[in-house]
Amino acid sequence: MQQHDLSYILNHLGEEDRARHRGAVAPPVYQSSIFAFESVAAMRAGFADELDSTLYTRGNNPTVEILRKKLAALEGAEDALLFGSGAAAIAAGVIAGLRSGDHVVCVQKPYSWTRSLVRDFLGRFGVAHSFVDARDTAAIEAALTPQTRLIVLESPNTMTYEQQDLAAVAALARARGVRTLLDNSYATPLNQRAIALGIDLVAHSATKYLNGHSDVVAGVLCGSKTLIREVFDGPYMTLGAMLSPHDAWLMIRGLRTLPIRLRQIAATTQAVVAFLKAHPKVERLWYPHDADDPQFALAERQTAGASGLLSFAIRCDSTLAVERFCDALQRFLMTVSWGGYESLLFPVAAVYPPDTNVAAPRSGQVPVNLVRLSIGLEDADVLIADLAQALDRV
């Protein structure tokens, strides 16, 4: 793959031939489902390579293609595919190389729909699975069987931020002929270059930081041309979970400011983390770039920087106290997603009945008093003041 600097990728890659678009600086939205051919021979050539020609927007579209090039380059990959959601990107990457009788190893506590895919969906088609605490590469190795074809990673994950040693896992997998897939949504390609560490396929919920404006649901899958072609010819075209041209255009626009957004978000998050660590009503904090995190050394070695996602447990006996805290916040919006320009929160208590006992044992599950924050672009002092007044309600 030709190497480009970051500013070139974000502002020009895929857009160089502006004469095609009458000199338009912003790329046009090719809002067309179909594309015409001047001859049967030209149409035949389009059918022969739907990935790289414009035949039907379910396969390829000029606006989507610009975004494909940018995201592949950001990940250091040869190619990429765009999907209508992050879940679709992960699902396509997972099922493309599996057959009945195969076995999948997956990290514990992955994204909920990844868990459902591995645990429930694949089982219907005769694919076995093992969930492992992948913080220890030896646990992954112990779970491998002769039937293992795929290792599904998520580093860090999106609630308690467990990490995997990606280079070590990739080396182990390649020695055994096993494919690896990483959900890299938390770190983004700017902070974690998983392809360079040996990972085969890298997925993102592009809804999060890559778009960054809470107005698009999208997913991306990056990898070698061979693997992307396999996914395209299989689940991508068969299931039709493509990204619309207009959503691709919005993502191109949002991507321009990714480095700036991440820098401010990371700086603000460090201030919020310091405040929460010192607060007596905070029982525990999870943030991989906190010096007290058990995997801090791995985060420093494996990633180039931090993002704005963190979690903390409120010191309380019942989820009613968590509700009082969350309902009192004025600058954080309560939502199920993260990674936008605005600060967000997600309370685990929302999926439990009211007045749930915090101390009740829940083996392997996320603590019921955990609150996840996604720090946005607001000033740090504004967010800290809001958290302080809400914690006073606990």
Side-chain angles (χ1 to χ4, degrees):
M1 185 197 72
Q2 185 180 2
Q3 297 298 314
H4 301 287
D5 64 78
L6 178 60
S7 62
Y8 182 81
I9 293 169
L10 297 178
N11 297 301
H12 302 292
L13 182 63
E15 307 171 58
E16 300 92 340
D17 189 7
R18 289 188 169 90
R20 289 178 56 202
H21 315 306
R22 299 190 176 187
V25 173
V29 182
Y30 281 87
Q31 196 65 46
S32 181
S33 60
I34 51 177
F35 298 88
F37 296 89
E38 294 184 353
S39 67
V40 172
M43 178 176 268
R44 184 180 294 116
F47 275 119
D49 186 11
E50 289 194 59
L51 176 60
D52 292 317
S53 64
T54 47
L55 176 80
Y56 188 42
T57 283
R58 180 164 58 87
N60 192 19
N61 173 281
T63 310
V64 177
E65 189 174 41
I66 292 171
L67 184 57
R68 275 177 56 198
K69 291 178 179 179
K70 291 181 184 294
L71 292 176
L74 286 178
E75 273 292 357
E78 292 179 345
D79 206 349
L81 288 173
L82 275 299
F83 296 80
S85 70
I90 294 167
V94 166
I95 67 179
L98 295 177
R99 302 291 183 272
S100 179
D102 288 346
H103 174 252
V104 174
V105 174
C106 182
V107 297
Q108 286 181 344
K109 294 189 290 184
Y111 171 56
S112 58
W113 288 107
T114 301
R115 182 179 65 245
S116 296
L117 170 71
V118 171
R119 183 190 63 196
D120 305 326
F121 185 85
L122 294 181
R124 294 168 55 192
F125 300 96
V127 177
H129 68 272
S130 300
F131 289 108
V132 301
D133 184 349
R135 290 174 294 181
D136 183 1
T137 305
I140 295 178
E141 185 172 18
L144 297 177
T145 76
Q147 289 73 44
T148 304
R149 297 290 176 266
L150 178 69
I151 301 172
V152 179
L153 307 166
E154 186 177 323
S155 185
N157 79 9
T158 57
M159 288 299 255
T160 49
Y161 317 114
E162 286 86 359
Q163 301 171 79
Q164 302 93 56
D165 187 331
L166 299 180
V169 175
L172 168 66
R174 292 196 171 183
R176 302 289 188 90
V178 176
R179 186 176 296 178
T180 50
L181 183 149
L182 169 72
D183 182 341
N184 198 27
S185 302
Y186 181 101
T188 81
L190 270 60
N191 286 331
Q192 187 162 257
R193 302 298 299 274
I195 297 287
L197 295 173
I199 299 300
D200 296 310
L201 288 168
V202 178
H204 292 266
S205 174
T207 311
K208 313 309 196 270
Y209 289 122
L210 296 182
N211 178 57
H213 291 77
S214 298
D215 52 10
V216 169
V217 177
V220 59
L221 186 68
C222 303
S224 68
K225 285 191 175 294
T226 299
L227 289 180
I228 292 300
R229 173 73 65 177
E230 178 185 303
V231 175
F232 180 84
D233 290 339
Y236 185 86
M237 288 297 285
T238 304
L239 302 177
M242 37 72 70
L243 186 69
S244 77
H246 185 252
D247 284 347
W249 185 87
L250 286 171
M251 274 203 63
I252 292 168
R253 185 176 67 169
L255 205 60
R256 315 279 195 199
T257 60
L258 177 62
I260 299 169
R261 288 187 282 109
L262 285 180
R263 280 198 295 272
Q264 179 168 334
I265 286 169
T268 303
T269 302
Q270 291 291 348
V272 172
V273 165
F275 165 77
L276 291 172
K277 284 184 68 177
H279 201 286
K281 292 180 181 177
V282 173
E283 182 178 85
R284 180 180 173 184
L285 181 133
W286 291 265
Y287 185 62
H289 285 270
D290 173 32
D292 293 327
D293 186 274
Q295 292 188 288
F296 175 71
L298 177 60
E300 290 289 288
R301 183 177 82 246
Q302 190 164 266
T303 65
S307 74
L309 204 62
L310 65 110
S311 299
F312 65 100
I314 295 176
R315 195 181 303 279
C316 60
D317 298 323
S318 163
T319 55
L320 291 177
V322 178
E323 290 190 40
R324 286 196 298 273
F325 165 77
C326 294
D327 292 349
L329 287 169
Q330 299 170 7
R331 300 295 185 129
F332 290 81
L333 303 177
M334 201 178 314
T335 74
V336 296
S337 192
W338 50 273
Y341 62 89
E342 71 284 62
S343 291
L344 308 169
L345 79 146
F346 172 75
V348 173
V351 302
Y352 287 89
D355 200 14
T356 297
N357 183 355
V358 169
R362 296 174 181 85
S363 178
Q365 296 185 24
V366 176
V368 70
N369 57 334
L370 181 146
V371 176
R372 185 183 69 190
L373 300 181
S374 175
I375 303 302
L377 298 177
E378 300 90 345
D379 290 339
D381 57 350
V382 170
L383 297 179
I384 289 170
D386 194 30
L387 290 167
Q389 64 85 21
L391 284 167
D392 286 342
R393 310 291 182 95
V394 175

